[in-house]
Amino acid sequence: MKKLFVSAGLVAIGAVGLHADEYAPDFTAMDATKPWSVSGTFRGFYDDNFTTTPNGHKQGSAGFEVSPQLSLIVPLQQTELGLRYTYGLYYYQQRENQGSNPIDQTHQVDLWVDHAFTQRLEGKVEDTFVSQQDPQLTSSGTILPYRAEGNNIQNVGTVSGHYELSALFSSDLSYQNTWIDYVNNIGIPGSPSYAALLNQDEHAIGLTLNYQYLPDLAFMVGYTFQWTDYTGDAPIGLGLTPGEVYYSNSRNQLSHTFKVGAQYAATENLSILAWAGFTYNDNYNQPSFDTQSSTSLQPYANIAVTYTYLPGDYVQVGFSESGASVATADISSKTGALTQYQQVSVLYATINHQITPKLTGSLTGHYQYSTYVGGGNDGAPQDWYSFGLDLAYAFTPWVSADAGYNFYYLTSAPGLQGYSRNIGYASVTASF
């Protein structure tokens, strides 16, 4: 339970760069003489708000987690094949006391194929499938910061290629599909389900051109086209006139992102990556009775600064600005307009420090500021804070233990509840 869940709505888009310095794919996940590995974690925890409900209605529970993982990586001459499966079983004592099902189960499957066609051309196919209930358990991120019952699914598949045009110029081309499916597929206009609001099939095509200006300085220019198709097929809100009904696909969106960037290795220990640009959105399926503009411009940014002050010890600070889906319809009582999306600003920081050769500590902080775009509360904000502390001790290369604490705080917003959550845990992991 030490993972901090990711910002709502930040489903990655854009070109995926495959910067290979050598002809063959890197094989670093495990020893080449042992292409498989098995690990298992047993973790005890106390979660004071496992239902992610407002503070006056919080429910706490002790519990435990059992999480085995199987990995298989096959290196060939110019190809790497990989498969990783992670299972999670989470037991909550309070739910047992209430006579309800005390167990949550999660599944995550990662697949990848990395192939070097020539010394200048490399391609990669990746897919990550996640089934979960709690956003904190989703390692690939989630667009919903609340617990949702059922086997909710997110699948992200990517096909990408990197081509060295010359010694100084290279290009990255990618296609990414993101499929999100919540099981509560009943839509009521006054209280639409997560499935009605958030189920989606998203396609993104990205192209990046790279210029290696100096050995330690590169410039990039990129473009991403994205089509988001909301697939809930259910009513999500009512207009001002009888018969005016908004459906899931009323928020379908086409977007074009233009960006420029730079990557700079200031010293051997300090690196900076920065992207800036803008996104043009077109809510092309907006009903004619919604009189607000169907097009909009939003800023785009992605900045990360990493400082490695000792081997294995580093500090990273980052900021991102982008758009995201929103888990509310929020119809305006004056104009009947629908909320189109949310603008999301994220500031984060991570410190990883090797205290002794066997003891490592990490601190993670996250702040997200979101505002509605369109609807009855256009511009209304919501804040999301999280903090994590973890200490990990390696008894041997195969046996380790860790203990830590996570804190989450989400403020309320129109149509969305706020909550706080505290989780303490301790675990032991064995691998071979």
Side-chain angles (χ1 to χ4, degrees), residues 89-109:
L89 184 149
Y90 302 84
Y91 171 83
Y92 294 87
Q93 180 63 50
Q94 182 63 20
R95 283 160 51 179
E96 178 82 48
N97 296 341
Q98 295 171 345
S100 59
N101 181 9
I103 293 175
D104 283 346
Q105 299 182 73
T106 66
H107 306 270
Q108 178 166 331
V109 181

Side-chain angles (χ1 to χ4, degrees), residues 2-242:
K2 66 183 179 181
K3 295 177 181 176
L4 290 171
F5 58 91
V6 192
S7 308
L10 298 184
V11 178
I13 65 172
V16 177
L18 301 175
H19 300 286
D21 295 327
E22 300 180 3
Y23 177 44
D26 292 333
F27 181 64
T28 58
M30 56 186 72
D31 193 307
T33 62
K34 182 188 173 185
W36 59 270
S37 69
V38 177
S39 66
T41 297
F42 179 83
R43 175 171 290 136
F45 63 84
Y46 182 80
D47 184 341
D48 79 341
N49 191 6
F50 63 90
T51 57
T52 62
T53 53
N55 289 343
H57 305 277
K58 293 170 62 171
Q59 296 185 61
S61 178
F64 65 83
E65 168 197 350
V66 178
S67 182
Q69 182 182 92
L70 171 65
S71 298
L72 177 65
I73 299 180
V74 180
L76 304 174
Q77 185 176 4
Q78 296 172 209
T79 306
E80 179 182 293
L81 307 176
L83 167 66
R84 180 180 298 111
Y85 170 68
T86 307
Y87 171 75
L89 184 149
Y90 302 84
Y91 171 83
Y92 294 87
Q93 180 63 50
Q94 182 63 20
R95 283 160 51 179
E96 178 82 48
N97 296 341
Q98 295 171 345
S100 59
N101 181 9
I103 293 175
D104 283 346
Q105 299 182 73
T106 66
H107 306 270
Q108 178 166 331
V109 181
D110 299 287
L111 300 168
W112 66 94
V113 179
D114 191 348
H115 180 71
F117 295 94
T118 68
Q119 291 183 345
R120 300 172 65 181
L121 177 62
E122 182 180 2
K124 193 167 187 177
V125 178
E126 304 170 272
D127 189 80
T128 296
F129 170 87
V130 180
S131 173
Q132 51 80 39
Q133 298 82 36
D134 189 325
Q136 196 231 173
L137 308 180
T138 306
S139 62
S140 61
T142 179
I143 63 171
L144 183 71
Y146 306 103
R147 175 184 170 81
E149 296 294 340
N151 297 317
N152 307 294
I153 293 171
Q154 175 179 292
N155 190 84
V156 180
T158 306
V159 180
S160 57
H162 176 75
Y163 183 63
E164 298 288 341
L165 300 166
S166 68
L168 299 179
F169 292 93
S170 64
S171 63
D172 295 288
L173 179 65
S174 72
Y175 165 74
Q176 185 174 87
N177 174 257
T178 302
W179 174 267
I180 297 172
D181 184 74
Y182 289 93
V183 299
N184 55 337
N185 201 22
I186 300 175
I188 303 173
S191 181
S193 67
Y194 292 146
L197 291 165
L198 297 174
N199 281 8
Q200 60 191 256
D201 184 15
E202 180 183 277
H203 307 267
I205 300 174
L207 174 64
T208 302
L209 301 178
N210 312 290
Y211 172 51
Q212 194 69 43
Y213 178 67
L214 295 172
D216 56 2
L217 178 62
F219 296 103
M220 301 88 72
V221 59
Y223 165 74
T224 300
F225 168 77
Q226 182 176 314
W227 172 37
T228 304
D229 179 20
Y230 288 90
T231 59
D233 193 26
I236 60 173
L238 299 175
L240 299 182
T241 303

Side-chain angles (χ1 to χ4, degrees), residues 155-354:
N155 190 84
V156 180
T158 306
V159 180
S160 57
H162 176 75
Y163 183 63
E164 298 288 341
L165 300 166
S166 68
L168 299 179
F169 292 93
S170 64
S171 63
D172 295 288
L173 179 65
S174 72
Y175 165 74
Q176 185 174 87
N177 174 257
T178 302
W179 174 267
I180 297 172
D181 184 74
Y182 289 93
V183 299
N184 55 337
N185 201 22
I186 300 175
I188 303 173
S191 181
S193 67
Y194 292 146
L197 291 165
L198 297 174
N199 281 8
Q200 60 191 256
D201 184 15
E202 180 183 277
H203 307 267
I205 300 174
L207 174 64
T208 302
L209 301 178
N210 312 290
Y211 172 51
Q212 194 69 43
Y213 178 67
L214 295 172
D216 56 2
L217 178 62
F219 296 103
M220 301 88 72
V221 59
Y223 165 74
T224 300
F225 168 77
Q226 182 176 314
W227 172 37
T228 304
D229 179 20
Y230 288 90
T231 59
D233 193 26
I236 60 173
L238 299 175
L240 299 182
T241 303
E244 295 180 346
V245 181
Y246 288 102
Y247 290 89
S248 302
N249 62 6
S250 298
R251 291 201 291 198
N252 281 8
Q253 186 180 84
L254 298 175
S255 67
H256 306 266
T257 299
F258 302 88
K259 56 187 178 178
V260 294
Q263 188 166 13
Y264 179 49
T267 68
E268 292 184 356
N269 300 330
L270 178 63
S271 63
I272 302 170
L273 174 64
W275 285 98
F278 66 91
T279 299
Y280 173 79
N281 297 305
D282 181 6
N283 288 72
Y284 66 92
N285 212 36
Q286 183 173 295
S288 59
F289 56 80
D290 189 338
T291 58
Q292 67 181 324
S293 175
S294 62
T295 61
S296 60
L297 281 176
Q298 66 180 83
Y300 172 87
N302 190 1
I303 302 169
V305 179
T306 304
Y307 177 63
T308 303
Y309 54 94
L310 288 172
D313 299 340
Y314 64 87
V315 178
Q316 185 177 70
V317 179
F319 172 80
S320 67
E321 181 81 22
S322 63
S325 301
V326 62
T328 180
D330 186 31
I331 309 298
S332 171
S333 60
K334 296 180 180 179
T335 66
L338 175 72
T339 301
Q340 296 173 327
Y341 60 92
Q342 60 179 329
Q343 182 70 21
V344 180
S345 306
V346 177
L347 180 65
Y348 65 89
T350 300
I351 301 174
N352 193 83
H353 182 70
Q354 189 170 350

